[in-house]
């Protein structure tokens, strides 16, 4: 079945440093979603990318969708303690409709 | 709108007990799903529903049952709890329509089976 892997699994950064998480799919994706889960919370939708090579920005967050639509990345510039949490990517499942397969997640810890 | 609500927030069960995790949404979303989250495993799909009266299995359905009698509610039943079902359970919903839409998650139920 479809697999979506994320690296790294964990990342500790000093506040102010940059952070990047990478998402790789075993199959070509029609789109990719990103979610953030704060400690003790639930996943919250951040963004969806659809086009090959697409780049979208949300303040200090930059999201990219690869040219081959099999990988994606999330880059955070100058991390803040509010960025702490686990970041998940998710791609449409081959089963169709609204099913998605979530990546394994990257847990970000920001050291003040 | 309350969004997606889940009850209970926490639950402790003994092995062999059964229980139902409740999930409701007030956004008139057709698609609803249940995930379990275990450390290092991400979110794994248990069951999902594309509308009232229609359900299907996800990646890890064994030991769980669902039904969808209304658009709003999508309960998850544990038939005979096992320690391997200790996890955090999330319910999610999303609107219908062409393409894949963002999923709205409930606050989760933290289940411990002893």
């Amino acid at each position: 079945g479809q697999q979506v892997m994320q690296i790294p699994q964990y990342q500790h950064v000093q506040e102010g440093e940059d952070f990047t998480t990478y998402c790789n799919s075993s199959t070509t994706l029609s789109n990719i979603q990103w979610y953030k889960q704060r400690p003790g919370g639930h996943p919250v939708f951040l963004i969806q990318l659809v086009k090959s090579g697409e780049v979208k920005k949300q303040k200090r967050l930059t999201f990219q969708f690869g040219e081959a639509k099999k990988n994606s990345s999330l880059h955070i510039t100058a991390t803040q303690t509010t960025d702490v949490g686990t970041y998940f990517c998710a791609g449409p499942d081959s089963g169709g409709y609204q099913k998605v397969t979530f990546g394994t997640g990257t847990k970000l810890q920001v050291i003040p | 709108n309350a969004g997606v609500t889940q009850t209970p927030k926490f639950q402790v069960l003994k092995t062999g007990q059964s229980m139902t995790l409740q999930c409701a949404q007030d956004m008139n979303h057709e698609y609803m799903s249940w995930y379990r989250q275990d450390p290092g495993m991400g979110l794994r799909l248990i069951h999902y529903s594309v509308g009232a009266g229609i359900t299907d299995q996800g990646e890890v359905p064994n030991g769980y049952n669902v039904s969808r009698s209304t658009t709003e509610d999508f309960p998850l039943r544990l038939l005979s709890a096992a320690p391997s079902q200790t996890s955090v359970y999330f319910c999610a919903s999303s609107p219908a329509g062409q393409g894949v839409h963002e999923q709205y998650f409930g606050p989760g139920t933290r289940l411990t089976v002893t």
Side-chain angles (χ1 to χ4, degrees):
Chain A
Q2 178 183 348
Q3 292 187 340
V4 181
M5 303 299 293
Q6 279 182 258
I7 54 171
Q9 191 174 2
Y10 301 97
Q11 183 84 57
H12 293 99
V13 299
Q14 207 72 35
E15 189 173 17
E17 290 182 338
D18 292 356
F19 158 77
T20 304
T21 174
Y22 300 92
C23 178
N24 296 291
S25 170
S26 58
T27 59
T28 301
L29 303 170
S30 59
N31 63 75
I32 194 149
Q33 298 176 342
W34 285 91
Y35 292 79
K36 177 183 178 181
Q37 183 178 23
R38 295 183 189 274
H42 59 276
V44 174
F45 176 82
L46 293 175
I47 207 162
Q48 178 164 289
L49 305 173
V50 179
K51 299 176 184 175
S52 168
E54 188 171 14
V55 178
K56 285 189 176 180
K57 291 192 175 185
Q58 289 180 348
K59 297 183 180 177
R60 294 178 294 102
L61 277 61
T62 301
F63 303 84
Q64 282 191 302
F65 199 10
E67 293 289 343
K69 302 183 81 173
K70 293 184 73 173
N71 56 73
S72 181
S73 64
L74 159 58
H75 179 81
I76 303 178
T77 304
T79 54
Q80 300 175 359
T81 54
T82 53
D83 296 323
V84 164
T86 302
Y87 293 85
F88 293 97
C89 61
D93 188 274
S94 55
Y97 204 66
Q98 298 294 325
K99 285 178 64 180
V100 297
T101 297
F102 279 85
T104 45
T106 295
K107 188 172 183 178
L108 172 64
Q109 188 62 257
V110 179
I111 305 161
Chain B
N1 286 354
V4 181
T5 57
Q6 290 184 239
T7 56
K9 282 188 167 53
F10 301 93
Q11 183 71 50
V12 179
L13 290 178
K14 293 188 188 304
T15 297
Q17 287 185 317
S18 63
M19 79 159 294
T20 299
L21 279 61
Q22 301 292 343
C23 174
Q25 53 91 9
D26 60 359
M27 297 174 281
N28 202 32
H29 287 169
E30 288 192 5
Y31 182 81
M32 295 186 74
S33 54
W34 276 101
Y35 294 90
R36 61 176 288 172
Q37 184 174 35
D38 303 293
M41 301 288 287
L43 293 151
R44 292 185 292 169
L45 183 65
I46 305 172
H47 285 285
Y48 67 98
S49 169
V50 300
I54 307 169
T55 64
D56 206 347
Q57 296 180 350
E59 180 187 354
V60 288
N62 292 342
Y64 308 94
N65 270 358
V66 292
S67 60
R68 183 100 178 265
S69 55
T70 67
T71 299
E72 294 78 20
D73 300 297
F74 190 44
L76 178 72
R77 280 183 290 279
L78 278 71
L79 309 172
S80 176
S84 60
Q85 293 179 305
T86 293
S87 188
V88 181
Y89 292 85
F90 289 102
C91 178
S93 73
S94 65
Q98 192 173 6
V100 178
H101 300 278
E102 67 177 276
Q103 298 203 42
Y104 296 78
F105 283 82
T109 294
R110 284 146 182 80
L111 175 69
T112 302
V113 183
T114 60

